[in-house]
Each structure stands twice: as structure tokens, then as C-alpha cells.
Amino acid sequence: AHGIALDFYLLAPSKRYAVGVDLSYSIYGFSESRQQYSFSDGTTADMDINVSNSILNGMLSARYNLVKDKALTPYVGIKGGYSGFQTNLNIYDPDDTDNCEPVETDLLLADGTWTYSIGGGLSYDLSSVFKKMRSEFLFINLSTYYTQGGDIDYMNSNQSHTNHSNMPSRSQDLEATFINTQTQVTHKHHVGNVYTNALQMIDFRLSVAFRSR
């Protein structure tokens, strides 16, 4: 998955402890294709199909700085919260002149689990490089966290490009309903497979942080 994150911490006067919240959003699968569908009345229609898979994390977080008042500060941390997985479908009519509004938008699958993360990182004070900058104002952070949670049902649009010898168990097929807007005939079509697995992830982050006083 690739995405963005935002966190906010309150630092203790000792500069050793910090507590806060951590939010992140990432996309781990996306497919885009044009497919022709045959309806029961004999007509066909070409549709542009977009399927996206995403993760939204919301966590409470705590850090402990192993040193203080140093340009390079290693730290360890722990997080706990909730991870939500969802798969969204957007169907576009290629004959639509502006191709703006999808013919259909649907949340195909949503599931989540409580999670916890442990890890650590390094924080570097950029005032040691930019001498005119106020100390302890702007930082570069590099961190790694291991996240674990319960079982989830999820779909991966990029599943066909992975090593199937390591696939988790497939729990069900996922179908979407399409409609011919002229004849109102509906048609179900297979858009992916739903898998079940325990949540395990390793999170690598490179971020910029600033401290207010």
C-alpha cells in the first residue's frame, strides 16, 4: 500500500514522552479496464470499470525518546486503534461526452479490525543543517512499525499479479450489478475475489514534522 499519514503529539516537559493520534489513508490495489457486457435482451454495452482498494487507520499513539536534546533522536513507540478496509467500484460510460459522473458507484466490500503496532524510528533536527533555523522546530522522521490485528475480509484488485502459492483462503466471489440505461436490463458480472486473512503489515514512513512552542 502507498498513502499519506498525519499525526499529532503532545510532548511532555521532560522531552522524553509524547502521546497523540495517528491517522493514515493508503491504497493497496487499483484496476482500470474497459469491458463489454452482454445483456439478456441481446444488446451489449462498453463500460469503463475502476475498482480501488483502500485502508483507513485511526490510532492512539505513544512515543518514548531514548535520548533528548540531540540532533538525532532515536525513539520507540506503540499504537492502538482500528483499521478499516474497503473496496469501491466506479463505472463510467465511455460515450458520455464529459465522462464526469459515474453510471454507478458502489461500496462493494467493507471490513475492519482492531489493531496494535510496535516499532520505532529516528528523528533528525534540521536546525543542525540550517543554522539560521530555530532549534527543535523542523524535523525529518524515519520510522518502521509492525502492525497486527484480527481476521478481515478484503479484495485485492492486483491479486493476479502476486504469488498465488502464498494466497490466503478465498472466501467468496464478488459480483457487481450493471444496468443498461436504455433497456433497464440488469446484469451481474464478476469483479474480483474476496480473501480472508489475519491483518499483518510492516509500515515504513518518511515524514516531515514541526514543533510549536
Side-chain angles (χ1 to χ4, degrees):
H2 299 84
I4 59 175
L6 176 67
D7 51 32
F8 175 81
Y9 286 90
L10 294 174
L11 185 65
S14 66
K15 297 184 181 180
R16 287 285 196 176
Y17 300 93
V19 295
V21 295
D22 185 293
L23 302 173
S24 64
Y25 175 81
S26 54
I27 294 177
Y28 66 91
F30 180 81
S31 66
E32 184 177 19
S33 63
R34 178 170 293 185
Q35 301 179 31
Q36 186 179 73
Y37 298 95
S38 299
F39 299 96
S40 58
D41 64 349
T43 62
T44 60
D46 290 329
M47 294 288 177
D48 290 333
I49 312 300
N50 295 346
V51 179
S52 61
N53 313 120
S54 60
I55 311 170
L56 180 62
N57 293 319
M59 293 187 171
L60 299 177
S61 181
R63 289 181 183 174
Y64 177 73
N65 294 326
L66 300 178
V67 299
K68 65 177 184 177
D69 299 326
K70 301 291 184 181
L72 186 63
T73 304
Y75 61 87
V76 293
I78 185 169
K79 305 177 186 179
Y82 191 82
S83 294
F85 284 64
Q86 67 179 33
T87 294
N88 294 92
L89 171 73
N90 287 297
I91 305 172
Y92 295 95
D93 183 359
D95 293 329
D96 189 353
T97 55
D98 57 10
N99 199 26
C100 181
E101 292 295 329
V103 174
E104 183 178 351
T105 297
D106 195 14
L107 175 62
L108 296 180
L109 181 69
D111 198 8
T113 180
W114 295 102
T115 60
Y116 71 90
S117 300
I118 55 174
L122 295 170
S123 179
Y124 185 69
D125 187 353
L126 291 177
S127 66
S128 61
V129 176
F130 304 100
K131 302 301 182 181
K132 293 184 179 181
M133 182 182 296
R134 189 186 76 200
S135 63
E136 298 184 337
F137 171 70
L138 193 64
F139 303 83
I140 291 290
N141 281 331
L142 179 64
S143 65
T144 302
Y145 279 81
Y146 170 74
T147 300
Q148 186 165 354
D151 288 346
I152 55 168
D153 292 333
Y154 67 97
M155 177 187 165
N156 190 345
S157 300
N158 299 334
Q159 200 74 67
S160 61
H161 303 296
T162 60
N163 181 3
H164 284 266
S165 64
N166 296 323
M167 286 293 96
S169 60
R170 191 178 77 180
S171 60
Q172 58 180 304
D173 294 328
L174 193 62
E175 293 184 334
T177 300
F178 301 90
I179 184 170
N180 186 318
T181 56
Q182 294 180 339
T183 65
Q184 300 302 307
V185 176
T186 59
H187 170 71
K188 286 187 177 294
H189 189 81
H190 181 267
V191 295
N193 299 318
V194 179
Y195 295 87
T196 301
N197 198 21
L199 176 59
Q200 292 179 314
M201 296 188 297
I202 298 179
D203 184 320
F204 298 96
R205 291 188 189 179
L206 178 63
S207 58
V208 176
F210 73 92
R211 181 182 299 169
S212 62
R213 291 182 177 179

